[in-house]
Amino acid sequence: MTDPKETINIENVVASTGIGQELDLQSVAMDLEGADYDPEQFPGLVYRTQNPKSAALIFRSGKIVCTGAKSTDDVHESLRIVFDKLRELKINVDDDPEIVVQNIVTSADLGRNLNLNAIAIGLGLENIEYEPEQFPGLVYRLDEPEVVALLFGSGKLVITGGKKPVDAEHAVDKIVSRLEELGLLD
């Protein structure tokens, strides 16, 4: 059987940064080719990078959220592109603004079907939510690492809330070991 950790795939990395000054988004949108700005729909300007693929949400406050990247390296590269584009518009951006990873969403596969009803009972009610008529997955909140895992009957997992890629590996280890303890991974 394949080690479930080998199936871990980063789906999305969300990070935030800021340039420490307010922006006139209307003016930036007019000068920044490819920018989308419709304040009636969304308060931020959306600027998409193609390589690596991501979207930077730029707010009037100067805060920037990068989403859609597939790795932390891609986040840094995407934001470097955004910073350079802003500098081209004569907007003062520090040489190396702090970038904070807020959330890494990963998927994994345990490689076998899961009995979510038995898991819900086995794990106890304090860390889980399972209402199959509302949502087909079981929500499992882990304390260490501090992430939320969605377990599906197919054996697929989605892990969200991690700050480092290794958080997903620790979460998968913990879930596998807990389910094995309960005899629910046979």
Side-chain angles (χ1 to χ4, degrees), residues 103-168:
N103 184 15
I104 299 177
V105 180
T106 54
S107 61
D109 190 345
L110 296 179
R112 61 192 79 166
N113 290 340
L114 300 175
N115 179 339
L116 297 182
N117 287 319
I119 291 171
I121 293 164
L123 291 177
L125 297 175
E126 61 279 348
N127 295 347
I128 67 119
E129 293 170 38
Y130 183 51
E131 297 181 38
E133 53 287 333
Q134 302 286 321
F135 180 70
L138 180 143
V139 180
Y140 182 22
R141 296 178 195 288
L142 285 84
D143 295 331
E144 194 47 51
E146 196 175 326
V147 297
V148 175
L150 306 176
L151 285 68
F152 295 93
S154 64
K156 301 259 191 295
L157 306 177
V158 174
I159 299 162
T160 183
K163 304 281 192 225
K164 302 183 293 292
V166 72
D167 288 345

Side-chain angles (χ1 to χ4, degrees), residues 46-185:
V46 180
Y47 181 73
R48 290 177 173 77
T49 59
Q50 292 310 311
N51 190 17
K53 210 172 175 73
S54 77
L57 312 176
I58 304 170
F59 297 94
R60 188 177 58 81
S61 65
K63 297 248 186 278
I64 302 172
V65 175
C66 179
T67 184
K70 297 291 188 187
S71 72
T72 53
D73 288 345
D74 284 359
V75 163
H76 286 268
E77 179 61 19
S78 294
L79 286 171
R80 190 191 59 70
I81 292 167
V82 171
F83 297 149
D84 288 348
K85 292 287 185 189
L86 293 174
R87 288 183 190 111
E88 287 171 18
L89 301 178
K90 307 289 185 251
I91 294 169
N92 185 23
V93 178
D94 289 346
D95 287 343
D96 196 14
E98 182 186 14
I99 297 170
V100 179
V101 173
Q102 302 291 344
N103 184 15
I104 299 177
V105 180
T106 54
S107 61
D109 190 345
L110 296 179
R112 61 192 79 166
N113 290 340
L114 300 175
N115 179 339
L116 297 182
N117 287 319
I119 291 171
I121 293 164
L123 291 177
L125 297 175
E126 61 279 348
N127 295 347
I128 67 119
E129 293 170 38
Y130 183 51
E131 297 181 38
E133 53 287 333
Q134 302 286 321
F135 180 70
L138 180 143
V139 180
Y140 182 22
R141 296 178 195 288
L142 285 84
D143 295 331
E144 194 47 51
E146 196 175 326
V147 297
V148 175
L150 306 176
L151 285 68
F152 295 93
S154 64
K156 301 259 191 295
L157 306 177
V158 174
I159 299 162
T160 183
K163 304 281 192 225
K164 302 183 293 292
V166 72
D167 288 345
E169 292 178 24
H170 294 320
V172 167
D173 278 343
K174 196 160 223 177
I175 290 165
V176 166
S177 110
R178 198 70 187 93
L179 295 180
E180 282 174 343
E181 272 172 33
L182 295 167
L184 297 171
L185 262 192

